[in-house]
Amino acid sequence: MAAHHRPTHDHQIGKQHMPNQTVAVLGLGAMGSAITARLRDTGYDTVVWNRTAAKAAPHAEAGSRAAATVAEAAELSDIVLVVLFDHASVREHLEPIAADLKGKTVVNVTTTTPNEARSTAAWAAEQGLTYLDGAIMATPDMIGTPYSRFLYSGDRGAYDTAREALETLGAADYEGEDAGLASLKDMALLTAMYQMFSGFMQAAAMMRTVGVPASQTAGEVAGWLGAILPHTESFAAVIDDRDFSAGQSVDFTRAAVGSLITASREQGVSADFLEPLLSRLDELSATGRGGVNWVSVNEQLAIG
């Protein structure tokens, strides 16, 4: 989930322009429902399918066509947008209808790992299908707003065919021919997000020990992180240049993180989120690299 400030294309998709593609949405959870509503509101003929048929009823009442089966949904559509639970459910529902998907553009925005995305793309290629993998950098309420961003990778022709429909949902960024690239970027950005939120959980736990409500800490954290986040650009330059000779040292940072851990424990709060970083810094110091830039922990993260 990432804030994104590129506007969507309502000036192109609206009452002045009636799309001629029919889009099937497979999966009507919160995200699938938001996507369906947005497509419908921007003039697209929509077909919906869900394992629990009752979830399709509100969409049918709003103007979508409800399909009884996945095969029927594919038959009625030009673009098949897959918004299911996980990789296993995607393969479970697409493999039996491979023949029905021929001639369609299949766009899978179900959350998967990079290798799962590549696996499905390889299967689709074996079946002669037009397939694009994607990742959603938005929450359901953000769909169709300037903050919604979708990442896509794989078949460029599939992206070009579906692009107009996809841009109604949010910024539609094509990452490249490797079908795993969209998922990789999605997972990398979400990793940064969860690590950031973990830091907030730690901070809130520490401050609650003296009666400060989490809501107050949230405001403090938002202000502090907003001021400090631009430093990631200078860290990035150090990582890309691989010059760790200057900057805040491993040993300085090791002492600072050690103090954070001590402070947490003094308040009766676990330091589990901080200890892995200290372990990395300890390793660098023990191997004679205590004087180099602490950003060199990035080098340790590469397996092998």
Side-chain angles (χ1 to χ4, degrees):
M1 298 175 293
H4 194 74
H5 298 280
R6 192 185 314 174
T8 53
H9 298 264
D10 283 345
H11 63 288
Q12 296 177 1
I13 307 296
K15 291 182 179 179
Q16 290 78 26
H17 175 77
M18 292 304 293
N20 57 13
Q21 293 169 314
T22 297
V23 184
V25 179
L26 308 183
L28 295 172
M31 184 60 74
S33 291
I35 286 172
T36 301
R38 174 62 178 171
L39 288 167
R40 203 168 48 233
D41 290 346
T42 51
Y44 279 87
D45 182 17
T46 53
V47 179
V48 294
W49 174 88
N50 193 74
R51 187 195 296 269
T52 305
K55 286 191 175 182
H59 293 282
E61 292 172 4
S64 297
R65 286 181 285 174
T69 65
V70 178
E72 181 187 353
E75 180 185 355
L76 294 171
S77 65
D78 302 298
I79 299 170
V80 178
L81 197 56
V82 186
V83 200
L84 296 173
F85 178 68
D86 58 12
H87 172 70
S89 60
V90 171
R91 298 298 288 269
E92 174 192 350
H93 290 99
L94 295 191
E95 287 182 4
I97 65 157
D100 302 287
L101 293 171
K102 289 188 176 180
K104 315 294 181 180
T105 300
V106 181
V107 183
N108 177 28
V109 292
T110 304
T111 300
T112 60
T113 68
N115 280 349
E116 288 172 342
R118 294 178 182 119
S119 172
T120 301
W123 167 80
E126 291 171 359
Q127 304 301 316
L129 306 181
T130 303
Y131 176 84
L132 183 69
D133 209 272
I136 306 171
M137 302 301 300
T139 54
D141 59 299
M142 292 163 63
I143 298 303
T145 74
Y147 305 101
S148 177
R149 182 187 185 195
F150 284 64
L151 311 174
Y152 301 98
S153 57
D155 188 326
R156 179 66 197 229
Y159 172 75
D160 290 339
T161 298
R163 183 173 182 174
E164 189 172 346
L166 299 178
E167 286 184 335
T168 69
L169 307 176
D173 296 341
Y174 181 72
E175 302 298 326
E177 294 284 344
D178 176 354
L181 288 177
S183 174
L184 178 60
K185 180 179 280 191
D186 176 48
M187 295 291 176
L189 294 177
L190 289 175
T191 295
M193 181 195 76
Y194 277 110
Q195 291 287 73
M196 177 185 69
F197 286 159
S198 294
F200 165 69
M201 301 301 174
Q202 180 86 27
M206 292 171 72
M207 294 307 297
R208 285 184 67 207
T209 63
V210 291
V212 175
S215 57
Q216 182 175 328
T217 302
E220 298 276 2
V221 167
W224 167 239
L225 291 184
I228 209 73
L229 271 176
H231 283 278
T232 56
E233 294 182 7
S234 62
F235 294 161
V238 171
I239 292 168
D240 289 340
D241 293 342
R242 301 188 70 180
D243 180 2
F244 304 109
S245 59
Q248 183 172 302
S249 72
V250 166
D251 283 341
F252 182 94
T253 307
R254 185 167 161 249
V257 174
S259 295
L260 301 180
I261 290 172
T262 299
S264 291
R265 290 174 176 164
E266 285 178 354
Q267 296 303 122
V269 173
S270 168
D272 288 353
F273 291 155
L274 291 166
E275 286 167 352
L277 174 56
L278 182 60
S279 177
R280 292 288 185 179
L281 296 168
D282 285 345
E283 180 183 337
L284 285 170
S285 184
T287 53
R289 288 171 287 177
V292 304
N293 193 319
W294 80 277
V295 176
S296 59
V297 295
N298 178 266
E299 300 273 288
Q300 292 177 302
L301 298 176
I303 299 173

